[in-house]
Amino acid sequence: TQLLEQSPQFLSIQEGENLTVYCNSSSVFSSLQWYRQEPGEGPVLLVTVVTGGEVKKLKRLTFQFGDARKDSSLHITAAQPGDTGLYLCAGLQPKYGNKLVFGAGTILRVKS
Amino acid sequence: KAGVTQTPRYLIKTRGQQVTLSCSPISGHRSVSWYQQTPGQGLQFLFEYFSETQRNKGNFPGRFSGRQFSNSRSEMNVSTLELGDSALYLCASSLGLAGGLGEQYFGPGTRLTVT
């Protein structure tokens, strides 16, 4: 059983479309991170959110942390082929100590 | 600044053998964490070392072990390999403990195949 549920698992869209990826848990996060991983590479940190209700923007990417700090979303506006990759959320939950727990990931493919 | 390096990048071993993987963190980083990534289980935390001491451990059997040297370089060892150990093993380094808000930098991983 995944402690962090990510949805959808797969997403295939056309260039220019918008999309949202979700990360949910029944437990509270002390902080949550989003990573992007390309084939043959390790994950690269995109953002860390800490405060409930926090919204952070990174160019065309918008990250939101739920008010109760149990969920998060990643929204991409006008997706580009270069956005293709595996998107992972990872959270620190007090009940699991200082271990970063990862979701299963969302595979995004943006077609030109 | 050089990134996290892992060696070897690819490895093929036979069931029952043992394997040692190496990770060199970014210069100045004192924490090294190890993760196993598989299609079925995703990314799972193995252990974290900070200043040569294991600070945190995931839910893996004792066949998985690690150590960290005084120069912060780390190795992980898997003994008595099983087919299910086939995975991408990722190492990540950070300035402080990974449980803090410090950014973790991942290496490219070692792809281990057990036949």
Side-chain angles (χ1 to χ4, degrees):
Chain A
T1 305
Q2 286 286 347
L3 299 172
L4 282 173
E5 298 290 336
Q6 270 190 253
S7 61
Q9 285 185 296
F10 304 98
L11 204 49
S12 181
I13 60 172
Q14 290 294 134
E15 182 176 1
E17 292 184 3
N18 302 332
L19 66 115
T20 303
V21 176
Y22 300 92
C23 179
N24 296 286
S25 175
S26 58
S27 302
V28 174
F29 301 120
S30 54
S31 68
L32 188 137
Q33 299 177 333
W34 284 92
Y35 291 81
R36 178 167 158 260
Q37 184 178 18
E38 296 188 46
E41 301 292 331
V44 175
L45 179 66
L46 297 173
V47 78
T48 300
V49 286
V50 179
T51 307
E54 185 174 2
V55 176
K56 282 192 174 179
K57 291 194 174 184
L58 184 65
K59 296 183 182 178
R60 293 176 293 101
L61 279 60
T62 301
F63 305 86
Q64 189 159 4
F65 201 13
D67 291 340
R69 292 187 293 138
K70 292 183 178 181
D71 58 275
S72 181
S73 64
L74 157 61
H75 182 80
I76 301 179
T77 303
Q80 306 290 314
D83 296 327
T84 293
L86 173 67
Y87 288 82
L88 296 157
C89 66
L92 282 174
Q93 294 180 322
K95 65 188 287 187
Y96 296 108
N98 287 331
K99 301 175 191 175
L100 204 57
V101 177
F102 280 82
T106 295
I107 297 173
L108 172 64
R109 182 185 171 205
V110 182
K111 297 174 282 186
S112 57
Chain B
K1 177 150 91 165
V4 178
T5 57
Q6 291 187 246
T7 57
R9 291 292 309 274
Y10 303 92
L11 205 49
I12 299 175
K13 290 285 189 178
T14 305
R15 269 180 302 176
Q17 288 186 315
Q18 74 163 14
V19 67
T20 299
L21 311 181
S22 180
C23 171
S24 292
I26 291 172
S27 177
H29 284 193
R30 296 170 64 191
S31 169
V32 173
S33 297
W34 288 90
Y35 296 86
Q36 181 195 66
Q37 187 174 32
T38 59
Q41 297 296 318
L43 249 160
Q44 292 187 294
F45 172 79
L46 279 156
F47 28 65
E48 178 183 13
Y49 285 86
F50 183 85
S51 294
E52 302 178 62
T53 302
Q54 188 180 91
R55 298 304 179 107
N56 226 330
K57 191 177 187 303
N59 297 323
F60 279 82
R63 300 185 296 109
F64 292 81
S65 63
R67 59 178 175 168
Q68 186 179 34
F69 302 95
S70 58
N71 62 357
S72 294
R73 189 177 71 85
S74 177
E75 289 181 346
M76 69 162 279
N77 183 275
V78 188
S79 62
T80 320
L81 283 166
E82 300 176 1
L83 294 178
D85 296 333
S86 294
L88 180 67
Y89 288 88
L90 291 160
C91 156
S93 79
S94 58
L95 274 171
L97 286 168
L101 298 181
E103 182 169 337
Q104 281 194 97
Y105 295 83
F106 281 83
T110 293
R111 172 74 61 187
L112 172 65
T113 302
V114 182
T115 62

